[in-house]
Amino acid sequence: AQQPGTPLSDQEYHHFFKFLQITIQARTACQLRELYGCMNSLIQKLDQYENHGVIPPGPICSELPEDSSFHNFCTFSLYRCIMKKYFLKV
C-alpha cells in the first residue's frame, strides 16, 4: 500500500487518467444529448454504438431501486446524464 500523500505509481496514473478521459467523454456525450435531444443523428449513432447497433425499444428496466423502469432508452440515458451515473447499465 502506498503512503498517504505520495504520488501515484506509473500504473496507477495510467489507470487514473484512463478513467478520467472516459468520464470526460461521457460528460461530453451527455452535454450533446441535452443540447440536441435524442432524435439527433449523432446521439442516435452513439446510442446504437452503446447497444451493439440497435437502440432498444422501451420499456427499459434497470436495477435501480428508485427507478426500475424507463419509458425508452432516451429517458434512461437522460436519467444517467442528470444523475451523473454515466456507466449505469440496464
Side-chain angles (χ1 to χ4, degrees), residues 7 10 13 21 30-31 42 44 47 49 58 61-62 66 70 79 88:
D10 289 346
Y13 266 121
Q21 183 66 19
C30 282
Q31 289 171 343
L42 174 60
Q44 287 185 343
D47 289 348
Y49 179 79
C61 297
S62 76
E66 65 273 12
F70 296 87
Y79 173 85
L88 179 66

Side-chain angles (χ1 to χ4, degrees), residues 8-90:
L8 299 176
S9 68
D10 289 346
Q11 183 179 4
E12 289 170 325
Y13 266 121
H14 177 74
H15 188 72
F16 172 75
F17 283 112
K18 183 178 178 183
F19 173 76
L20 207 61
Q21 183 66 19
I22 291 169
T23 301
I24 290 168
Q25 290 172 355
R27 194 174 302 142
T28 301
C30 282
Q31 289 171 343
L32 289 172
R33 181 179 300 281
E34 292 168 6
L35 186 61
Y36 295 112
C38 293
M39 300 313 292
N40 179 274
S41 62
L42 174 60
I43 298 302
Q44 287 185 343
K45 286 179 185 176
L46 289 172
D47 289 348
Q48 287 172 344
Y49 179 79
E50 182 179 357
N51 293 287
H52 297 100
V54 177
I55 300 171
I60 304 295
C61 297
S62 76
E63 297 177 354
L64 294 169
E66 65 273 12
D67 288 306
S68 60
S69 182
F70 296 87
H71 181 68
N72 55 34
F73 190 77
C74 179
T75 306
F76 173 68
S77 295
L78 286 171
Y79 173 85
R80 291 189 308 182
C81 288
I82 291 167
M83 300 306 288
K84 296 184 172 122
K85 296 183 178 189
Y86 304 120
F87 308 108
L88 179 66
K89 293 183 180 186
V90 294

